[in-house]
């Protein structure tokens, strides 16, 4: 009797478990990349020209909240420039699945700085971003990534036997 009640649950569990992990990892890469990409687009008025909004925010508004103090960003325009570059380059790498673990590490570090800048965003934004980045750092980009393609090419180019040297 109990078996008949549990069987549909087990069948559904097996069906869900049959979803390839690479699809979940691709979804993680996209979900993490998009908010950073969109934010990065707002920081530029052209090639390597920071927008006036980005300049204003980093110079006037953004503060690092450390040990109960609100401290001005050191070198705010350099910070804005680096944030703008990171928010465009790292999402592209994530979407392509190229250097996924390193791109996720970069996003995690940016998230930590963002958390210090905007402490109220922990639950809604920063914690999920950090969790996604940690997942990608742990599992990589999956089979639907350039990392996997490059790994496959490297394995095919490796000699059939290696000599000790």
């Amino acid at each position: 009797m109990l078996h008949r009640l549990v069987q549909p649950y087990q069948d559904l569990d097996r069906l869900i478990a049959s979803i390839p992990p690479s699809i979940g990892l691709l979804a993680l890469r996209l979900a993490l990349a998009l908010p950073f990409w969109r934010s990065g687009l707002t920081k530029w008025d052209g090639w390597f020209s920071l927008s006036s909004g980005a300049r204003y925010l980093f110079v006037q508004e953004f503060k690092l909240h450390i040990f109960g103090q609100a401290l001005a960003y050191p070198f705010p325009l350099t910070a804005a420039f680096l944030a703008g570059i990171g928010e465009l380059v790292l999402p592209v790498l994530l979407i392509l699945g190229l250097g996924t673990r390193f791109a996720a590490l970069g996003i995690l570090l940016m998230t930590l700085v963002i958390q210090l800048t905007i402490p109220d965003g922990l639950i809604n934004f920063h914690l999920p971003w950090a969790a996604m980045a940690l997942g990608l750092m742990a599992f990589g980009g999956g089979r639907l990534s350039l990392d996997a393609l490059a790994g496959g090419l490297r394995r095919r180019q490796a000699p059939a036997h290696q000599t000790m040297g």
Side-chain angles (χ1 to χ4, degrees):
M1 173 76 173
L2 183 61
H3 175 70
R4 276 190 243 151
L5 294 173
V6 173
Q7 189 62 43
Y9 168 81
Q10 290 174 334
D11 292 343
L12 183 58
D13 184 63
R14 272 193 293 284
L15 177 66
I16 293 169
S18 70
I19 297 170
S22 56
I23 292 175
L25 292 170
L26 175 61
L28 271 177
R29 292 185 351 240
L30 292 171
L32 185 56
L34 291 176
F36 282 85
W37 173 260
R38 290 180 57 136
S39 177
L41 291 176
T42 68
K43 290 186 174 56
W44 301 103
D45 277 338
W47 286 101
F48 299 108
S49 177
L50 283 171
S51 69
S52 58
R55 290 173 184 270
Y56 175 80
L57 286 173
F58 277 82
V59 172
Q60 300 295 323
E61 294 290 324
F62 287 167
K63 305 289 184 220
L64 295 171
H65 297 85
I66 302 172
F67 301 120
Q69 303 254 341
L71 308 170
Y73 264 78
F75 310 104
L77 295 180
T78 301
F81 186 84
L82 292 174
I85 294 288
E87 287 178 337
L88 293 182
V89 172
L90 296 173
V92 169
L93 293 174
L94 282 179
I95 289 170
L96 295 174
L98 182 62
T100 303
R101 286 186 166 99
F102 296 106
L105 175 61
I107 293 281
L108 178 62
L109 295 174
M110 289 181 68
T111 300
L112 294 174
V113 173
I114 294 167
Q115 174 60 31
L116 291 174
T117 304
I118 308 167
D120 293 340
L122 178 67
I123 301 302
N124 291 329
F125 300 103
H126 310 152
L127 186 58
W129 293 343
M132 287 186 276
L134 287 168
L136 290 169
M137 288 167 59
F139 297 107
R143 289 187 178 186
L144 300 175
S145 69
L146 289 180
D147 290 337
L149 178 63
L153 290 175
R154 272 184 275 143
R155 280 191 290 280
R156 277 180 265 179
Q157 293 172 351
H161 67 292
Q162 295 179 349
T163 59
M164 300 294 259

